[in-house]
Amino acid sequence: MTGTVETVTGPIPADQLGKTLIHEHFVFGYPGFHGDDSLGGFDEQDALETGITVALQLLSFGVDTVVDPTPNECGRNPELLKEISERTGLQIICATGYYYEGEGATPYFKFRQGLGTAEEEIYEMFKKELTEGIRQTGIKPGIIKLASSKGEITPYEQMFFRAAARVHREEGTVILTHTQEGTMGPEQIKLLIELGCDPKKIVIGHMCGNTDTDYHSAVLKYGAYIAFDRFGIQGMVGAPEDDVRIKTLMDLIEKGYADQIMMSHDTVNYWMGRPLILPKQVQEKMKNWHPAHLFENVIPALREKGVQEEQIRTMTEKNPSRLFAGVGAKVRL
């Protein structure tokens, strides 16, 4: 495979990604956390120590690379990610992008949307960060993060899709998406293809929020990748139980789609703002929402159900490298 990938410590060949988690957050904060800083201030040293601990744990499971698609307005911290990477040897890929309308920081670009300048400015933001680096750090994102709402891609969100597609056509950068509560995966891939994007360099995220294999096939048929990337999340955000996720995944593997699937957890290792206090019932359901869950529970369960080692290696190692190298599966339209 050819092609390079921007990590927070610089570019590497795509075939050196190794075992990869496609969607985890070392730090994350919902917009508004800055205003709660009297009681929920950001302790960067604590976040660093937490990140190092998580990185070392993942390395012990053979993980080589983590993609951290934290949106720009949700606490993205490339300098912190670079230090975690340098201190541990874990390869980390960060993002440029904004969150979906319902949970993102919308006023800034909505105001500029009213002035008629927002979409061009979003394009300029993506372009600058991808070609020159984030702020003055010199750290370049390796992906563009896009997101849509439950049941729709709003006009606000469409601005980001159009701007991202424009940069993607110019730079060839991988696009990674957020889908909300098992909706809009097929609509996202159709829109991106209509905008001229290469499906071989797109991964539609959170697809495990939907248990209908026809929904998945409606994305996979274009040759794009999908992510079963919320293992451990149960009882929140409309997420199904893990055993149902595994059954859906097994059905797709049996249909021959292992070469288009990646796995992860969408964990948040350090919350910006005050720590979350979950109700006891939710805590019990969420007890496996941690970065080791795939290796301790999910992959062993797949093996017990007959998934072959080569298929597991394809989903955890080969597919991420193929995604960033722009090597896709066959189109099945």
Side-chain angles (χ1 to χ4, degrees):
M1 282 183 288
T2 58
T4 59
V5 185
E6 288 289 349
T7 75
V8 293
T9 56
I12 63 171
D15 61 7
Q16 291 184 13
L17 285 173
K19 187 181 290 186
T20 300
L21 291 176
I22 196 66
H23 197 129
E24 311 289 345
H25 302 276
F26 280 93
V27 296
F28 183 93
Y30 282 111
F33 68 85
H34 291 98
D36 194 26
D37 56 355
S38 294
L39 292 171
F42 176 52
D43 185 334
E44 187 154 359
Q45 184 61 35
D46 189 20
L48 174 62
E49 292 173 2
T50 299
I52 289 172
T53 298
V54 169
L56 292 174
Q57 181 187 35
L58 291 175
L59 288 166
S60 75
F61 287 105
V63 174
D64 301 288
T65 304
V66 169
V67 178
D68 182 328
T70 302
N72 297 21
E73 81 271 44
C74 295
R76 182 189 61 170
N77 192 326
E79 299 97 326
L80 178 70
L81 297 181
K82 182 179 181 182
E83 187 165 0
I84 292 169
S85 181
E86 290 175 337
R87 296 270 290 269
T88 65
L90 181 70
Q91 298 171 157
I92 302 174
I93 298 168
C94 73
T96 182
Y98 265 60
Y99 209 21
Y100 80 98
E101 184 169 351
E103 294 186 355
T106 61
Y108 181 77
F109 279 119
K110 274 195 169 183
F111 174 69
R112 306 176 86 84
Q113 185 179 20
L115 300 175
T117 61
E119 190 169 322
E120 182 68 21
E121 291 169 337
I122 293 165
Y123 163 78
E124 291 169 351
M125 174 185 68
F126 286 156
K127 185 79 169 183
K128 188 273 177 190
E129 294 197 342
L130 290 168
T131 59
E132 300 176 28
I134 298 167
R135 299 188 297 276
Q136 306 305 315
T137 66
I139 299 170
K140 295 179 181 179
I143 62 166
I144 304 171
K145 170 71 173 286
L146 295 173
S148 62
S149 298
K150 182 178 181 180
E152 65 175 325
I153 306 174
T154 69
Y156 169 81
E157 293 156 357
Q158 289 173 28
M159 289 194 302
F160 292 90
F161 275 74
R162 289 191 296 267
R166 182 177 165 191
V167 176
H168 168 88
R169 295 194 304 268
E170 295 168 351
E171 304 296 331
T173 307
V174 163
I175 292 173
L176 180 152
T177 77
H178 165 104
T179 57
Q180 187 66 14
E181 296 191 38
T183 68
M184 305 310 291
E187 290 81 3
Q188 284 189 356
I189 192 63
K190 287 178 185 176
L191 175 59
L192 289 169
I193 289 173
E194 287 171 2
L195 292 169
C197 296
D198 181 354
K200 299 189 301 296
K201 301 201 81 173
I202 297 170
V203 55
I204 304 298
H206 304 338
M207 288 289 286
C208 55
N210 193 305
T211 60
D212 181 356
T213 56
D214 288 341
Y215 172 84
H216 295 84
S217 296
V219 173
L220 292 163
K221 68 181 182 181
Y222 292 102
Y225 294 90
I226 66 171
F228 271 59
D229 53 11
R230 282 188 154 179
F231 279 108
I233 298 182
Q234 303 180 122
M236 295 182 68
V237 295
E241 303 287 317
D242 272 353
D243 59 347
V244 180
R245 278 194 185 96
I246 290 172
K247 182 183 183 305
T248 306
L249 178 56
M250 289 292 302
D251 289 343
L252 292 171
I253 292 171
E254 290 170 5
K255 290 176 182 288
Y257 286 121
D259 60 351
Q260 291 174 259
I261 300 171
M262 287 169 269
M263 298 187 290
S264 211
H265 310 90
D266 195 15
T267 53
V268 175
N269 299 312
Y270 187 95
W271 286 97
M272 304 188 80
R274 289 189 244 186
L276 296 184
I277 300 175
L278 301 176
K280 287 185 179 179
Q281 184 178 4
V282 176
Q283 286 182 36
E284 177 61 26
K285 282 187 171 291
M286 296 282 286
K287 64 184 179 183
N288 284 324
W289 192 43
H290 56 78
H293 179 41
L294 267 178
F295 310 104
E296 293 178 345
N297 303 302
V298 177
I299 292 175
L302 294 175
R303 290 188 179 114
E304 288 178 7
K305 293 179 182 295
V307 178
Q308 301 300 304
E309 289 301 320
E310 185 59 25
Q311 292 171 315
I312 293 170
R313 184 168 176 263
T314 293
M315 292 186 289
T316 58
E317 297 182 42
K318 290 184 179 180
N319 289 347
S321 291
R322 293 169 67 239
L323 167 72
F324 283 95
V327 178
K330 65 180 180 181
V331 176
R332 313 186 195 202
L333 297 176

